Amino acid sequence: MKKYFIALIFASINLLAFSQEFSTPKSNVTVGDLLENAKNTPRSDTYYLIALSAARKNDIEIANKAIATGLGINPQNYKLLNLKGALLVKQGQLISARQTFYSVLKIRPEDEYANNCLKIIEETLQSRQAVNPILNNKSSYKGKTDAPIAPIEERPVSKEKLLTATYFEELKHKQECSHGMSLIKRAQENLIDKNPKSKDTFSLTKLVMEGLLTAAPVCPKSGFYSWKNNDVFCSAHGSFTSLDAEVTNVFKEYNTGLKAKLSRNYMEALKSFEQVVILYPLWAEAHFQLGDTLFRLGEVDSSINSLKTCLKYNPDNLDAQLLLANLYFRKGQKQAALNILDKISESQKGSVYGLSARSVAKSIRSGRSYYEIFPPY
């Protein structure tokens, strides 16, 4: 399938090249001369021709240098971007190729070549068999119960939210408070239905005594609850209606990604998590979910980058540590994998993480191969 895919991409390159209104320069100047004297050849299309010629000769290094120089002159040269995407495919970097072709579509939404390549790439990625999580008895892609479930808003995101890590801690508090207010609102409305005269009175104690609440909810910011204009109010977070709208907005995209991943629709999950980390680059859990999705798509290097970013913002994320060890082992970096596994084994003795890390480390040291330890589904 992969050989067919690459052949199709490069066949498309040839068609694309012949459709351009350019011809190979009639000159004795070599490709090397042109690359070293960019000031004498300022047109980005010249570098497209150089790169195309090098690509046809399978000289990827020269082709990439020409593409980089050409894009330095004109970052929106769609021919260079299309060729860059094709070379990334040839090198097996499908995720990077996909991002490059999306860059083309921002410039030329109807570009047939980019659209066709994207379709093939995404079908290829989605058709790959799912792989086992590193933990056999614990799903590594479940979100943290206390984590914000998705920092995506319909309104513009402020710079403060992009750069302040405490925003995510505040979201956890808002999520918990919103859940409690939802229970209170439902209970108060049930009480009013039973006794319309109680519409102007509010007591959490009474709601509990009436059996409408199992216990009185507590705001994590120590706010107190009241009832005004048929709505619950928290002294710390405001009305339930406005808080619920914010929480729903913020959590929407992340939940979409989780649902897609649980259904093994990894391309849809990838699109959701990509949006999350673009808007909220400091949210460690979102980077883990993106890395885990890339792992399940077989994109090892891209997954490692996402996991490293996750651990940059949350070094204690054990799911990310275990998955990173998995990928290091997959790349043949056994010692790097063992360093992570031994650290987890020591710090998490007796837990599922510690036991799993110890088991995997033992298997690696015994000489077992990657797919003997982590067989595909």
Side-chain angles (χ1 to χ4, degrees):
M1 175 65 183
K2 187 174 181 181
K3 290 182 178 178
Y4 167 77
F5 178 38
I6 293 173
L8 181 57
I9 291 284
F10 271 81
S12 299
I13 291 178
N14 290 336
L15 292 174
L16 180 67
F18 291 136
S19 69
Q20 308 304 320
E21 296 181 1
F22 300 98
S23 59
T24 304
K26 296 180 180 180
S27 171
N28 293 325
V29 178
T30 67
V31 170
D33 292 334
L34 290 172
L35 289 174
E36 292 173 4
N37 298 283
K39 62 182 181 181
N40 297 325
T41 54
R43 286 174 56 84
S44 61
D45 288 323
T46 300
Y47 289 95
Y48 166 70
L49 293 173
I50 295 170
L52 184 62
S53 175
R56 286 171 172 165
K57 297 174 183 176
N58 204 32
D59 194 336
I60 305 302
E61 182 179 359
I62 291 294
N64 282 331
K65 286 182 180 179
I67 290 170
T69 304
L71 290 176
I73 297 169
N74 179 11
Q76 295 193 325
N77 187 313
Y78 70 92
K79 296 184 291 295
L80 282 167
L81 289 170
N82 273 330
L83 185 53
K84 178 181 178 180
L87 292 177
L88 287 168
V89 169
K90 182 176 178 61
Q91 297 169 81
Q93 300 179 38
L94 298 191
I95 293 297
S96 296
R98 174 176 168 272
Q99 293 169 345
T100 301
F101 288 125
Y102 270 120
S103 297
V104 174
L105 296 185
K106 289 180 181 179
I107 302 167
R108 289 166 52 92
E110 304 303 321
D111 189 285
E112 183 177 359
Y113 179 72
N115 276 299
N116 287 340
C117 289
L118 275 172
K119 182 179 179 181
I120 296 170
I121 288 172
E122 295 189 351
E123 287 177 353
T124 301
L125 289 170
Q126 185 60 39
S127 67
R128 289 178 174 174
Q129 292 293 318
V131 292
N132 274 328
I134 190 166
L135 295 178
N136 294 326
N137 56 354
K138 179 181 183 296
S139 171
S140 65
Y141 54 74
K142 291 181 180 178
K144 308 294 185 186
T145 57
D146 62 345
I149 303 182
I152 293 293
E153 296 182 346
E154 293 179 358
R155 58 183 180 277
V157 181
S158 69
K159 184 177 181 180
E160 181 181 1
K161 288 182 180 179
L162 281 171
L163 301 180
T164 306
T166 55
Y167 174 67
F168 305 118
E169 192 65 30
E170 292 171 5
L171 274 180
K172 298 175 188 178
H173 295 154
K174 288 183 178 181
Q175 181 186 20
E176 185 177 340
C177 186
S178 175
H179 178 67
M181 293 170 78
S182 174
L183 296 175
I184 294 171
K185 183 175 177 65
R186 189 180 304 114
Q188 181 69 6
E189 288 173 344
N190 288 336
L191 180 65
I192 294 172
D193 286 341
K194 291 181 180 180
N195 181 10
K197 292 182 180 180
S198 64
K199 67 178 182 177
D200 296 323
T201 62
F202 175 78
S203 168
L204 287 179
T205 302
K206 183 175 181 180
L207 293 175
V208 173
M209 292 179 62
E210 292 284 337
L212 298 171
L213 286 174
T214 57
V218 177
C219 171
K221 298 291 285 185
S222 301
F224 62 87
Y225 297 116
S226 59
W227 181 261
K228 301 176 184 178
N229 300 322
N230 298 318
D231 201 359
V232 183
F233 275 76
C234 172
S235 60
H237 295 118
S239 73
F240 168 69
T241 300
S242 60
L243 183 62
D244 183 59
E246 178 183 359
V247 168
T248 300
N249 248 358
V250 167
F251 295 175
K252 179 173 60 178
E253 192 70 29
Y254 188 90
N255 276 337
T256 299
L258 282 184
K259 289 177 181 177
K261 191 159 65 159
L262 287 168
S263 301
R264 298 190 182 183
N265 188 351
Y266 298 127
M267 282 309 306
E268 290 305 312
L270 177 65
K271 293 173 184 177
S272 291
F273 293 133
E274 282 176 335
Q275 293 303 309
V276 174
V277 299
I278 286 171
L279 288 182
Y280 291 92
L282 297 184
W283 190 20
E285 180 68 11
H287 285 286
F288 167 71
Q289 296 294 346
L290 176 59
D292 187 48
T293 300
L294 290 165
F295 164 62
R296 294 165 188 280
L297 287 168
E299 292 295 305
V300 174
D301 291 334
S302 297
S303 178
I304 287 174
N305 289 336
S306 291
L307 294 171
K308 285 182 176 179
T309 303
C310 167
L311 293 170
K312 174 182 177 182
Y313 299 121
N314 180 12
D316 298 326
N317 188 313
L318 294 171
D319 288 314
Q321 290 179 39
L322 283 169
L323 186 52
L324 186 59
N326 176 306
L327 293 173
Y328 279 152
F329 179 41
R330 185 169 176 174
K331 286 175 66 71
Q333 300 174 20
K334 292 185 179 182
Q335 192 55 53
L338 288 170
N339 289 342
I340 296 174
L341 295 170
D342 289 343
K343 180 181 177 181
I344 295 172
S345 299
E346 183 63 28
S347 64
Q348 302 294 320
K349 289 180 179 179
S351 73
V352 65
Y353 289 101
L355 293 172
S356 181
R358 182 178 178 182
S359 174
V360 173
K362 183 178 179 180
S363 295
I364 292 175
R365 288 190 169 101
S366 72
R368 297 178 68 187
S369 69
Y370 178 84
Y371 287 107
E372 286 179 312
I373 301 174
F374 305 109
Y377 285 161

